[in-house]
Amino acid sequence: MELAHTPDDQIFREELRGWLVEHAPPPPPPEVGPALRARDVAWQRSLFDAGYAGITWPREYGGRGLTLTQQMIWYEETARAGISHVNSLFVGVSHAGPTIIACGTDEQKARWLPPILRGDAIWCQGFSEPDAGSDLASLRTTAERDGDDLVLNGVKIWTSYAQIADHQEMLVRTDPDAPKHQGITWLVCDMRQPGIEIRPIRTLVRESHFCEVHYHDVRVPIADVVGALHDGWRVARATLAYEHGIANLGQQIRMSRTVEQIVETARARGCDDAMWARIADARADVASLRAMTALMVSRISREDLPGPEGSLVKLRYGEVSQRIHELGVDVLGVDGLEFVADDHALTYGYLASLAATIGGGTSEIQRDIVAERLLGLPR
Amino acid sequence: MDLLPGPTEDAAVARVRPLLDAHLGAVAWGRRLRDDEPVPPDVIARLSAAAGRAAGVTDATVVAVELGRTLAPIEVLTAMVAGAPAAAAVPHPAGGFTLFGPHDAAVVVVWGDEAVGLTDPPTTVDTRACLDPTTPMARATLTEGRALDGAAAARSRSILAGYLAGLARGAQDLAVEHAKTRVQFDRPIGANQAVKHALAECATRTEAAWATVLYGATALAEQHPEPHFWLAAAVRTATAAADANARTAIQVHGGRGYTLECPAHLYLARARLVTQLLGGADRIRAQLLGRRADGRDLRSGHDSPDAGRRLPRDR
């Protein structure tokens, strides 16, 4: 058992910390549009040029080939510098990229991976549909074979940053007669083509990064299918395990800053013993999340693939996130009613935390996964 | 960085596990509770010797998790601090001490707020019935003892945190097993989301406690920045997990969970007992607030009160 980092890890941390002092990006503009895209791709490009993109990715595709511990340090240090990891780069860097590394052909890796790391391409995700949320495998967007192409028709929802994306990782139904988990294909759709209609959705934090995307006879070459045709569910599970696993690490680390922000607010405004008791618990909660993350990184480092334990961290994260942000607005008293459109503000965090038990698989679904796959309870 | 137990910890666990599985499983506890039958003294002696060989903080903490999981008696836990089976005591607010475990043990381990000491057997004993029917309890007078140094005191608290994380795991295992085998409405009750989700919550709390306990023990071993904050976080997380999982275990067992011979209530009572050894929930929270790198109390920005002000001594 050891927490100590190797000398290499220490050097990596110190160099990154120093670099961030000079190179931290400006805060993102409030609207999803060209200015946001320009900011995000410039940030990714500067990471890439400095050797801080694709920490664990293979070297031949522009990655650094470093360890998961160094990836964790990257999340810690960028969060420490106040940089949010939830941006338009997230799907490419933390989702589509790792899936392509796991399941793509050499040609696909060479074609798609380097542009993700260089910031040349923004990716979005098309998994959920209006009638396929928790029951994702019931998705109905069709892809019919026509020569060397698949022709897509249907609707996807909760697609973040579709407005500014170049590519979309998608799950579509290629065999309507097969059992629902077996007729699904994972493919990459070019977002800059006719037949794609993007409708932004206003969320309760009054921004519009989520979209509903409609497809009318949209063409995707067969060469852009990742994994085998009809084998998309297996490919998606790799992606989802990753999402439940370390992809949320940055937000977890960031939450410890929120707790200290609450401590400062409580000291400045004053609060009673009952509130201080909740603050004490919040400090323990955020510490426990960090420890869970370290334990998960230790497990993945030994066993190579994220397992269902990722759902434990996600469950805890959702619960702790909501408890801490509720504490934040309670400490603010009546000022907790003042909405501030800045994701560092406690009231914004309070509303945003309501998504923590829904996005990426609801807590109810996570509990099913834990109960059935970890505890062995009957379905 | 690798938080998982390594060869040293695995070897320490391997020394106690066969004894625990042979003598302290849920079935054995059921029989003992029904027949009011104590754990045989030779089992306690052998277990204490095996557990006591874990001399460090990480190996001892991981062994304590196993002790908690199997509800090992309190004198086995204290043996890891005292070197031989011992009683445990905490100062009583009205004066004197409350004693847990065998009254005639040669040594008593006294847990103050932060300081921990060893004393001789009590000079007076006033026996009380304990919430935990398998643990003797008394109000007692103790003579002044010798305080453990800071590292040994912190190690003893990490051991208690480990034991609590083990209680959380043991209660969860008991409930999961019942949910798989108890059939109502023609199917195992664990097929119902109301039950399986409650158990998934147990698993989440157990994982949080296990991770934080491992982190705290490792932070102490390495003198990682703020080891005492991490220890307090481990204590708080494990306390909450042990308490909530024990209550879930009782509920999942239905009517059987309300009987004396179902060990679920032992997990609850033992969790409350060990939480008191650690100073109780309020004191644990104060440690979480007061432990910052600069030693200042977060609430006021002033210096924390002297952590050792309640050293065990005769009153």
Side-chain angles (χ1 to χ4, degrees):
Chain A
M1 285 161 64
E2 57 174 23
L3 289 168
H5 291 314
T6 64
D8 279 357
D9 292 345
Q10 280 300 345
I11 292 166
F12 179 80
R13 184 190 294 279
E14 280 156 28
E15 287 180 353
L16 173 57
R17 188 177 293 181
W19 182 82
L20 284 167
V21 172
E22 300 286 321
H23 297 90
E31 298 296 322
V32 180
L36 179 73
R37 182 185 164 104
R39 180 259 185 205
D40 285 356
V41 300
W43 165 233
Q44 183 64 28
R45 181 71 199 202
S46 101
L47 282 171
F48 178 79
D49 288 343
Y52 291 123
I55 306 299
T56 61
W57 288 26
R59 285 172 168 278
E60 66 247 60
Y61 304 116
R64 292 288 306 278
L66 299 175
T67 64
L68 208 52
T69 301
Q70 282 159 325
Q71 177 72 71
M72 194 175 86
I73 292 169
W74 185 90
Y75 276 117
E76 283 174 350
E77 290 302 320
T78 46
R80 221 178 95 98
I83 300 162
S84 171
H85 304 112
V86 184
N87 53 30
S88 67
L89 306 162
F90 179 82
V91 170
V93 168
S94 298
H95 228 266
T99 307
I100 292 162
I101 290 170
C103 303
T105 63
D106 288 346
E107 184 275 326
Q108 289 172 333
K109 290 178 190 173
R111 184 151 55 102
W112 286 322
L113 297 178
I116 292 175
L117 291 190
R118 286 196 306 261
D120 291 346
I122 300 279
W123 286 60
C124 62
Q125 186 189 63
F127 281 15
S128 298
E129 297 180 2
D131 290 327
S134 290
D135 184 12
L136 181 60
S138 70
L139 60 91
R140 291 191 307 213
T141 294
T142 56
E144 285 178 45
R145 187 79 184 248
D146 179 25
D148 289 338
D149 287 346
L150 291 166
V151 180
L152 274 56
N153 282 284
V155 187
K156 292 289 177 183
I157 198 168
W158 314 126
T159 300
S160 299
Y161 305 106
Q163 307 97 316
I164 57 171
D166 304 290
H167 303 295
Q168 183 175 36
E169 51 164 358
M170 287 187 77
L171 289 177
V172 296
R173 186 155 303 283
T174 39
D175 183 355
D177 301 323
K180 70 177 180 180
H181 291 87
Q182 288 166 29
I184 293 172
T185 296
W186 199 103
L187 54 75
V188 178
C189 176
D190 179 357
M191 291 295 281
R192 315 261 180 208
Q193 59 171 313
I196 293 179
E197 182 195 342
I198 295 163
R199 302 179 189 169
I201 299 165
R202 293 268 285 170
T203 68
L204 54 72
V205 282
R206 294 162 226 189
E207 52 72 62
S208 303
H209 80 280
F210 281 134
C211 299
E212 191 175 88
V213 184
H214 294 246
Y215 309 81
H216 311 283
D217 295 329
V218 169
R219 300 188 85 84
V220 173
I222 289 282
D224 293 355
V225 168
V226 172
L229 210 58
H230 315 317
D231 196 26
W233 191 252
R234 187 186 62 82
V235 178
R237 274 175 76 132
T239 322
L240 291 174
Y242 210 86
E243 185 176 12
H244 298 167
I246 67 164
N248 285 318
L249 218 153
Q251 285 146 279
Q252 293 163 24
I253 291 161
R254 200 173 153 191
M255 210 148 54
S256 68
R257 289 166 58 93
T258 305
V259 172
E260 299 316 307
Q261 188 184 352
I262 292 169
V263 168
E264 295 305 322
T265 308
R267 270 170 68 177
R269 298 180 64 101
C271 68
D272 64 15
D273 283 351
M275 203 75 91
W276 279 113
R278 289 170 63 193
I279 293 172
D281 286 347
R283 293 193 98 208
D285 280 343
V286 84
S288 76
L289 262 183
R290 190 190 164 110
M292 288 173 89
T293 301
L295 180 60
M296 187 171 59
V297 168
S298 305
R299 273 202 199 105
I300 300 173
S301 298
R302 283 196 193 181
E303 292 159 18
D304 221 35
L305 257 186
E309 291 89 354
S311 289
L312 295 170
V313 188
K314 187 174 184 315
L315 275 169
R316 180 83 174 178
Y317 170 74
E319 175 198 335
V320 168
S321 175
Q322 290 179 358
R323 203 152 56 215
I324 284 173
H325 286 98
E326 186 177 17
L327 172 62
V329 288
D330 284 348
V331 165
L332 281 174
V334 73
D335 289 340
L337 285 170
E338 194 177 322
F339 179 76
V340 181
D342 169 1
D343 76 343
H344 290 85
L346 290 173
T347 51
Y348 188 100
Y350 170 69
L351 290 177
S353 75
L354 297 170
T357 49
I358 301 170
T362 63
S363 288
E364 287 73 17
I365 294 296
Q366 305 305 323
R367 290 187 193 103
D368 281 348
I369 292 171
V370 168
E372 289 160 15
R373 291 176 58 196
L374 270 180
L375 303 181
L377 290 164
R379 292 180 64 86
Chain B
M1 186 206 72
D2 184 0
L3 210 52
L4 287 165
T8 310
E9 293 82 19
D10 288 346
V13 167
R15 285 195 293 269
V16 293
R17 201 170 248 172
L19 278 165
L20 294 171
D21 287 344
H23 299 283
L24 296 177
V27 176
W29 275 116
R31 191 189 65 240
R32 266 190 212 106
L33 285 164
R34 193 177 57 240
D35 303 340
D36 199 15
E37 170 198 322
V39 179
D42 71 299
V43 171
I44 287 178
R46 283 156 63 205
L47 254 178
S48 298
R53 285 177 62 192
V57 56
T58 55
D59 53 351
T61 301
V62 173
V63 164
V65 173
E66 288 298 302
L67 298 183
R69 183 178 64 81
T70 51
L71 288 163
I74 209 78
E75 58 266 37
V76 180
L77 187 59
T78 48
M80 298 185 73
V81 179
V90 286
H92 192 283
F97 293 84
T98 303
L99 190 74
F100 301 99
H103 303 347
D104 55 352
V107 187
V108 180
V109 182
V110 186
W111 270 277
D113 284 343
E114 298 270 307
V116 180
L118 303 180
T119 73
D120 292 335
T123 49
T124 68
V125 167
D126 176 9
T127 306
R128 305 290 167 97
C130 185
L131 210 61
D132 168 3
T134 62
T135 301
M137 172 173 161
R139 293 286 302 280
T141 312
L142 296 174
T143 52
E144 195 160 346
R146 71 177 174 84
L148 298 182
D149 67 31
R155 174 179 172 274
S156 82
R157 293 173 67 81
S158 184
I159 287 170
L160 296 185
Y163 190 85
L164 285 162
L167 290 175
R169 178 59 196 259
Q172 174 193 314
D173 289 347
L174 187 69
V176 166
E177 185 55 31
H178 186 70
K180 284 179 183 173
T181 51
R182 169 72 173 169
V183 173
Q184 289 288 276
F185 302 105
D186 303 319
R187 59 180 181 176
I189 59 169
N192 300 298
Q193 279 191 323
V195 175
K196 71 166 64 161
H197 285 191
L199 295 172
E201 290 299 312
C202 284
T204 307
R205 289 187 289 261
T206 301
E207 176 84 350
W210 168 238
T212 319
V213 159
L214 292 176
Y215 203 108
T218 313
L220 283 174
E222 291 179 6
Q223 284 304 299
H224 186 269
E226 300 194 88
H228 292 280
F229 169 76
W230 280 101
L231 177 57
V235 164
R236 176 71 194 125
T237 308
T239 301
D243 187 79
N245 286 10
R247 283 188 285 114
T248 303
I250 292 171
Q251 180 66 24
V252 165
H253 278 81
R256 202 176 114 66
Y258 190 67
T259 64
L260 185 66
E261 71 177 82
C262 175
H265 66 94
L266 277 191
Y267 285 101
L268 185 64
R270 205 65 68 80
R272 297 195 69 82
L273 194 165
V274 176
T275 301
Q276 285 304 312
L277 296 182
L278 287 158
D282 284 351
R283 184 62 205 146
I284 293 164
R285 289 196 178 102
Q287 286 160 2
L288 282 161
L289 291 174
R291 285 286 163 270
R292 242 178 25 166
D294 61 6
R296 285 169 181 271
D297 188 318
L298 283 187
R299 278 171 290 192
S300 60
H302 300 310
D303 289 346
S304 301
D306 175 18
R309 73 187 190 285
R310 290 186 72 201
L311 270 171
R313 62 174 57 93
D314 203 9
R315 313 178 178 212

